[in-house]
Amino acid sequence: MNVYDKAHDLARALQSCEEAQSVEEAMKAIEGDTDSKRMLDDFRARQMDMQQKMMTGEMPVQEEMEKMEKMFEVISMNPDIARLFDAERRLAVIIQDVNKIVSESLGHLYQ
């Protein structure tokens, strides 16, 4: 059994799963609406900036965190963006589950 072949099989299964298809459909809907795309792009840029700061050990100030939370609440009122966030959350759960399964399968090596 070739592990890399199985990894490619898993990648194809993930790409074709319902949750990934939902992410793709939601993204297409957002891409078709200039306002939704702008809102999402702005949110993601701010989110990325905040994550980069945190990775360097710089914690965002409370005001910045509150601003991001409010921004999330506002853009989540957009049905297409809310659908995307929900689809991304469901896909993330699958990825976490797969990661857990793989990690646990090797756990006996380190006990």
Side-chain angles (χ1 to χ4, degrees):
M1 171 174 31
N2 185 320
V3 173
Y4 293 104
D5 289 341
K6 295 295 182 185
H8 287 288
D9 289 345
L10 176 58
R12 283 188 291 277
L14 285 169
Q15 289 172 341
S16 64
C17 75
E18 179 183 330
E19 292 78 5
Q21 295 300 313
S22 294
V23 170
E24 187 174 356
E25 290 168 11
M27 283 302 298
K28 284 180 183 176
I30 291 167
E31 295 282 336
D33 180 14
T34 309
D35 290 335
S36 295
K37 175 132 177 55
R38 181 186 45 76
M39 285 191 300
L40 181 62
D41 288 348
D42 186 41
F43 177 77
R44 295 277 166 111
R46 290 173 188 249
Q47 188 179 41
M48 182 71 78
D49 183 52
M50 187 176 287
Q51 287 174 345
Q52 287 176 343
K53 286 180 182 178
M54 292 171 78
M55 287 173 53
T56 63
E58 181 183 341
M59 291 305 294
V61 295
Q62 184 66 27
E63 181 180 288
E64 196 174 357
M65 294 292 289
E66 289 171 2
K67 187 175 182 179
M68 282 298 292
E69 287 175 21
K70 287 180 183 174
M71 188 177 195
F72 177 79
E73 289 174 17
V74 169
I75 70 170
S76 292
M77 286 190 238
N78 178 303
D80 291 330
I81 294 175
R83 192 172 53 198
L84 173 66
F85 287 163
D86 181 59
E88 288 177 334
R89 181 193 53 74
R90 289 184 289 122
L91 182 58
V93 167
I94 289 175
I95 293 169
Q96 288 172 352
D97 289 347
V98 167
N99 187 38
K100 182 178 178 187
I101 291 166
V102 171
S103 297
E104 287 177 354
S105 75
L106 300 174
H108 71 282
L109 297 174
Y110 301 103
Q111 291 181 357

